């Protein structure tokens, strides 16, 4: 069980992250929301957990960056992270289509309609790209989709790092002293709660209050399960970067396919949740969750300066 000083560090970290994030969300809303250039502030939002962790480690508790995962680690987990994320998203879309709750769009007219629909649904400004001469819109978007899960991951991984260095590298180890189950549930709830202000800026893809609540709750469950997978990647690889790669690949793969496939959001979330649950159960049965080690308390806890 964390000591009082350790608990103060956790609370202060959360205050910093949620405080800065709320301020940035307010600025995004004040300057026009996601339909204006202010939407770029979302990238800054993704960096807030890492900024908060860095402030705590460097200047507040001065605990340093030992065991924070800032190393290359075991290289095989980079491939595992990428494959697992791509497979999870593709399987979710595939099952959604096969069960009749998803529809593939392969004509230019359908794609244009789908892009406009996404902009209206999520309250964001999504422009229809102009392909280079000699390339159709469908081919150009397909190339962008491939780029999203390959070459574009190189610059984008910084944003995956922004969240993982905070939630998995800093917060989770401190909460693990409550026990693995409680730590996973707490981090999942906090991670989900942190996303709510951003969700409030968008138009929820729900047709009723009941569906909105169900979407939100399924999001809580899937976030918690995803956190378990990311935690395993962090501890098994001994590096935060495979978790960051998995995180951003998951996001980019979804972005790559969402233009081509429309779906029932409630069913989609439920299928995703079941797939993540299956992955978490496999990791548990194989003893992989044991890699997420509960740290021993030091004789002298770091004091807040």
């Amino acid at each position: 069980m964390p000591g009082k000083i350790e608990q103060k560090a956790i609370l202060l970290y959360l205050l910093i992250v949620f405080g800065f994030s709320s301020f940035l969300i307010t600025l995004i809303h004040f300057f026009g929301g996601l339909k204006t250039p202010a939407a770029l502030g979302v990238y800054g939002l993704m960096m807030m957990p890492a900024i908060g962790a860095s402030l705590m480690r460097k200047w507040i508790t001065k605990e340093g960056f030992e065991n924070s995962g800032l190393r290359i680690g075991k290289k095989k987990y980079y491939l595992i992270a990428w494959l697992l994320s791509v497979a999870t998203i593709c399987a979710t879309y595939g099952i959604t289509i096969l069960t009749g709750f998803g529809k593939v769009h392969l004509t230019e007219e359908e794609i244009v309609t789908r892009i406009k629909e996404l902009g209206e649904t999520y309250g964001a400004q999504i422009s229809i790209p102009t392909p280079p001469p000699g390339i159709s819109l469908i081919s150009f978007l397909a190339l962008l989709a491939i780029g999203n899960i390959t070459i574009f991951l190189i610059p984008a991984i910084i944003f995956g790092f922004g969240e993982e260095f905070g939630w998995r590298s800093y917060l989770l180890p401190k909460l693990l002293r409550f026990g693995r189950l409680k730590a996973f549930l707490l981090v999942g709830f906090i991670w989900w709660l942190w996303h709510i202000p951003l969700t409030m800026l968008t138009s929820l893809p729900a047709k009723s209050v009941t569906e909105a609540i169900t979407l939100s709750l399924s999001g809580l469950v899937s976030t918690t399960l995803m956190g378990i997978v990311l935690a395993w990647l962090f501890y098994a690889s001994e590096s935060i970067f495979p978790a960051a790669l998995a995180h951003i690949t998951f996001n980019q793969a979804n972005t790559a396919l969402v233009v081509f496939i429309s779906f029932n959001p409630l069913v989609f979330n439920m299928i995703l949740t079941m797939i993540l649950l299956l992955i978490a159960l496999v990791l548990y049965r194989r003893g992989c969750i044991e890699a997420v080690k509960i740290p021993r308390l030091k004789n002298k806890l770091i004091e807040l300066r």
Side-chain angles (χ1 to χ4, degrees):
M1 182 73 68
K4 291 183 179 179
I5 294 175
E6 193 79 351
Q7 290 179 24
K8 288 181 180 179
I10 293 171
L11 292 174
L12 183 55
Y13 169 71
L14 294 177
L15 180 62
I16 290 173
V17 173
F18 276 80
F20 285 179
S21 298
S22 297
F23 177 71
L24 186 52
I25 285 288
T26 301
L27 288 180
I28 293 172
H29 177 73
F30 180 79
F31 286 103
L34 300 182
K35 290 187 176 181
T36 70
L40 294 174
V42 172
Y43 295 110
L45 186 69
M46 293 180 71
M47 297 304 298
M48 289 303 167
I51 291 173
S54 298
L55 289 174
M56 293 296 295
R57 290 180 179 276
K58 180 67 176 178
W59 287 291
I60 300 176
T61 58
K62 297 185 178 180
E63 57 198 278
F65 294 86
E66 185 180 0
N67 299 323
S68 65
L70 291 177
R71 59 180 63 86
I72 297 299
K74 299 176 182 178
K75 298 180 179 63
K76 70 177 182 179
Y77 286 96
Y78 289 87
L79 179 59
I80 292 172
W82 184 81
L83 288 174
L84 193 59
S85 295
V86 172
T88 298
I89 288 297
C90 288
T92 303
Y93 274 98
I95 295 172
T96 303
I97 294 168
L98 291 175
T99 54
F101 292 98
K103 180 181 179 182
V104 180
H105 304 292
L106 294 177
T107 69
E108 184 169 322
E109 182 180 358
E110 288 178 333
I111 292 294
V112 170
T113 301
R114 175 61 176 160
I115 293 175
K116 292 179 179 178
E117 176 187 281
L118 288 170
E120 293 173 359
T121 300
Y122 294 99
Q125 182 64 47
I126 304 177
S127 59
I128 300 172
T130 301
I135 299 180
S136 67
L137 177 62
I138 302 296
S139 299
F140 184 57
L141 289 174
L143 289 174
L144 288 178
I146 294 171
N148 266 341
I149 59 172
T150 53
I151 190 68
F152 296 157
L153 289 173
I154 297 174
I157 195 173
I158 185 63
F159 301 111
F161 171 82
E163 291 197 45
E164 294 310 306
F165 191 68
W167 305 131
R168 247 60 63 182
S169 171
Y170 185 79
L171 182 61
L172 179 62
K174 294 184 180 299
L175 292 177
L176 277 172
R177 290 160 182 160
F178 287 107
R180 287 190 189 87
L181 180 58
K182 288 182 180 179
F184 288 143
L185 293 176
L186 281 170
V187 173
F189 176 75
I190 291 168
W191 193 19
W192 169 80
L193 192 65
W194 178 76
H195 279 93
I196 288 180
L198 179 60
T199 303
M200 297 299 290
L201 285 177
T202 67
S203 301
L204 288 173
K207 298 178 181 179
S208 65
V209 174
T210 301
E211 187 174 337
I213 294 173
T214 306
L215 276 171
S216 182
L217 291 177
S218 66
L220 172 58
V221 176
S222 61
T223 296
T224 302
L225 293 169
M226 185 68 179
I228 293 174
V229 177
L230 294 172
W232 165 69
L233 285 169
F234 170 43
Y235 280 86
S237 67
E238 299 177 359
S239 168
I240 195 59
F241 297 113
L245 177 62
H247 187 142
I248 200 62
T249 302
F250 185 88
N251 290 351
Q252 297 275 92
N254 184 51
T255 301
L257 293 177
V258 74
V259 173
F260 295 96
I261 305 168
S262 58
F263 51 84
N264 180 301
L266 181 57
V267 174
F268 183 89
N269 276 20
M270 292 177 65
I271 292 172
L272 174 60
T273 299
M274 294 304 296
I275 291 174
L276 290 172
L277 177 60
L278 177 61
I279 294 172
L281 287 174
V282 170
L283 291 175
Y284 175 75
R285 292 295 298 271
R286 293 178 63 87
C288 298
I289 301 300
E290 295 298 316
V292 182
K293 299 176 182 178
I294 300 174
R296 295 180 180 178
L297 282 171
K298 297 180 180 179
N299 292 330
K300 184 178 180 181
L301 288 171
I302 298 169
E303 295 185 3
L304 290 171
R305 298 310 198 263

